[in-house]
Amino acid sequence: MRRRQRTPQPFTVRYVPVATDGSLDQTLTITNNTEVSVQPTLRFTPRSMYGMELPHVTTLGVNGSHLGRALLPAGGTLREVLRFDGQGSRQVRGVDVELVSVEETDHPALENDTRTVMIDLDQKATDDPTDFWGIGMVNPNDFGVTMRVSLLQLEERDRDNPRQVVDVVTLQQDVDMASQSNHVVWLPEDVRGQFHEVVHCLVPPTFA
């Protein structure tokens, strides 16, 4: 008997409650296996380590994937950081993801990933919040992109439990990046040292 070929899923999702490489916890990676760029709207159902639904926990995406704000390029990925609030938020170890809606966009597929990093006063990458003076941004593609950037404040590490996001500040203006370009956004003095990570997502271009 010949096995029936499985139809590949248009989108695949991977959730990591606790990172093993020192990167952010509570991350969701959505991969677009199609040739069309989209803006997905997602709904999350948090679950405990035993698979039980946690009905009193509210789940939000830092990059706004629960509102359909982030762009998922054709053949690319969208990395989301989840925030959990409410009774039982400390118990979350798994998340069901429902695709509520998908809006297609004519954004081109990425040739290479865009990047944001924390930088110090000498514009060198740093992971020390006290040296976090600015945001280094890179667009290695042969076309312009628009990036939405957020700063994350994290709680102190509690043993092997997931480290939660306690505050998010999103830059008031999205950043238009020309093709093959680098850009630096310096932080105001009153927020330096308060944040531990910088994340970004692509959004539909604001330039003509």
Side-chain angles (χ1 to χ4, degrees), residues 2-8:
R2 177 179 297 177
R3 288 187 176 182
R4 179 182 297 177
Q5 292 284 345
R6 285 189 176 183
T7 303

Side-chain angles (χ1 to χ4, degrees), residues 188-208:
E189 187 173 353
D190 59 347
V191 303
R192 292 172 191 160
Q194 297 182 28
F195 296 92
H196 302 87
E197 292 282 353
V198 58
V199 298
H200 78 281
C201 66
L202 298 181
V203 294
T206 57
F207 48 83

